[in-house]
Amino acid sequence: MTGASEGSGFLAVDSGGSGLRAVVGTAERGPLARRASGEPVRTDERGIDPEHFMAQLVPLVRALTAEAGPVPLTTVVVGAAGLASLGDGLRAELPGALAREWGVRRVALAADAVTGYVGALGPRPGAVIAGGTGLIAIGTDLTGWRRADGWGHLLGDCGGGAWIGRAGLEAALRAHDGREDGSARLLACAEEVFGPVAGLPGALYPRPDRPAVLASFAPGVAACAGEDPVAAGILRVAARHMADSAAAVCPSGGEPRVAVTGGLFQLGDPLLGPLDEELTRRLPHARRVPAEGDPLHGSVRIAAGLSTGSLALPGDETMLSVTTRPGD
């Protein structure tokens, strides 16, 4: 996948659950200014709302260009959470809206898993586990993309923050009931965080942010893991799920790289220790490396590659698509 080479500017965007983060720069000079908004882009029955996206983006770019100076924007890269399943509206309307607003000629729309991958590994074959409230693994051999999990907290996201938190609360409720495999330590931790656990169903089930509430208990599970075998076991199973997903997407030949990215891994050694063991067992041919950057860094890398015509990543209708207007 290539683009035209010219000394012009780019806009790189990361759209997620906490809002937009954006960078303006040039391929020659790199990032020149960065800003963030605190409001997430709305979704409705059509998916991600392109009009609300532009309403959020325009003042952000106005502030960026005021800081960076005049930068003629010809390339825009948007990495968006939910793009693969909720991105039809963005794909249909955003390139035209960006062209009308700034004369943009090249627009790349990428799933946040792709920008997370590129931020972590760059244009190299391998696999990346992206963990936060949810969990997805993405891999490439540079001829195509493969993904595993990322199906949401009811159908998957196995090993993610909501999964770990739910498993910890289940163990707490088992101890509360006097059933086997419960954890008195997790019960005490849950009641410290949420109050009496008998009230958990009524407090949790009606909430629209259930996955985030469940994930908020994952640090409690990690904090108990050093002295509680039930909590430690939950994190071992989570690590096994993550390694399963990574093995499903990692190239089988050569020496691919494997990295992890996302806030979930701030849980530290109680999770990273078993994950290293599982990855060594499942992917002995792969090289474990630290992530080089985050999804916004991935959007910047893609934008710089498009601007210079050096982007060496496979295209995909839902994971990474580039629209080029006539004249390039």
Side-chain angles (χ1 to χ4, degrees):
M1 183 184 293
T2 61
S5 177
E6 58 187 55
S8 54
F10 65 75
L11 169 65
V13 182
D14 174 51
S15 174
S18 59
L20 297 182
R21 298 185 300 151
V23 167
V24 161
T26 70
E28 296 78 17
R29 298 167 63 196
L32 301 175
R34 64 184 64 218
R35 292 286 177 113
S37 77
E39 182 181 353
V41 177
R42 288 194 299 258
T43 60
D44 55 27
E45 65 276 1
R46 301 173 302 159
I48 302 169
D49 185 340
E51 293 181 1
H52 191 236
F53 183 93
M54 288 298 295
Q56 295 282 88
L57 187 63
V58 169
L60 204 60
V61 174
R62 191 175 295 127
L64 283 166
T65 53
E67 180 181 343
V71 179
L73 299 177
T74 61
T75 300
V76 174
V77 175
V78 175
L83 183 80
S85 55
L86 299 171
D88 287 348
L90 280 189
R91 281 185 282 268
E93 298 183 28
L94 199 58
L98 292 167
R100 290 188 297 272
E101 189 70 35
W102 295 298
V104 172
R105 303 216 300 259
R106 290 182 299 277
V107 176
L109 297 178
D112 61 338
V114 169
T115 53
Y117 183 101
V118 178
L121 293 183
R124 303 180 182 93
V128 168
I129 304 167
T133 297
L135 194 289
I136 188 170
I138 185 167
T140 183
D141 57 4
L142 301 184
T143 65
W145 294 99
R146 297 186 65 186
R147 58 166 281 183
D149 212 339
W151 299 119
H153 76 292
L154 292 178
L155 299 175
D157 284 356
C158 298
W163 185 97
I164 291 171
R166 190 212 59 80
L169 291 172
E170 180 188 346
L173 289 166
R174 285 180 171 275
H176 173 270
D177 294 346
R179 290 179 286 156
E180 291 185 353
D181 300 322
S183 165
R185 188 175 291 271
L186 285 172
L187 174 60
C189 183
E191 294 197 319
E192 182 178 336
V193 173
F194 297 105
V197 293
L200 265 177
L204 183 64
Y205 292 156
R207 292 185 62 151
D209 59 345
R210 284 189 304 274
V213 176
L214 291 170
S216 72
F217 192 59
V221 177
C224 292
E227 300 180 5
D228 183 66
V230 174
I234 289 169
L235 296 181
R236 280 195 300 273
V237 176
R240 196 171 307 136
H241 283 308
M242 293 179 194
D244 286 345
S245 292
V249 302
C250 190
S252 58
E255 190 184 17
R257 302 185 181 201
V258 177
V260 302
T261 185
L264 179 63
F265 300 102
Q266 294 176 7
L267 295 182
D269 289 342
L271 178 61
L272 292 174
L275 180 57
D276 283 337
E277 294 175 7
E278 290 294 332
L279 289 173
T280 299
R281 181 177 67 84
R282 294 299 306 275
L283 294 169
H285 68 298
R287 178 184 169 197
R288 177 86 153 79
V289 297
E292 296 173 7
D294 64 7
L296 182 58
H297 182 56
S299 290
V300 169
R301 279 179 155 171
I302 294 171
L306 274 178
S307 296
T308 60
S310 61
L311 185 64
L313 293 167
D316 181 276
E317 183 178 347
T318 59
M319 301 295 284
L320 176 61
S321 59
V322 177
T323 302
T324 304
R325 296 182 66 216
D328 277 16

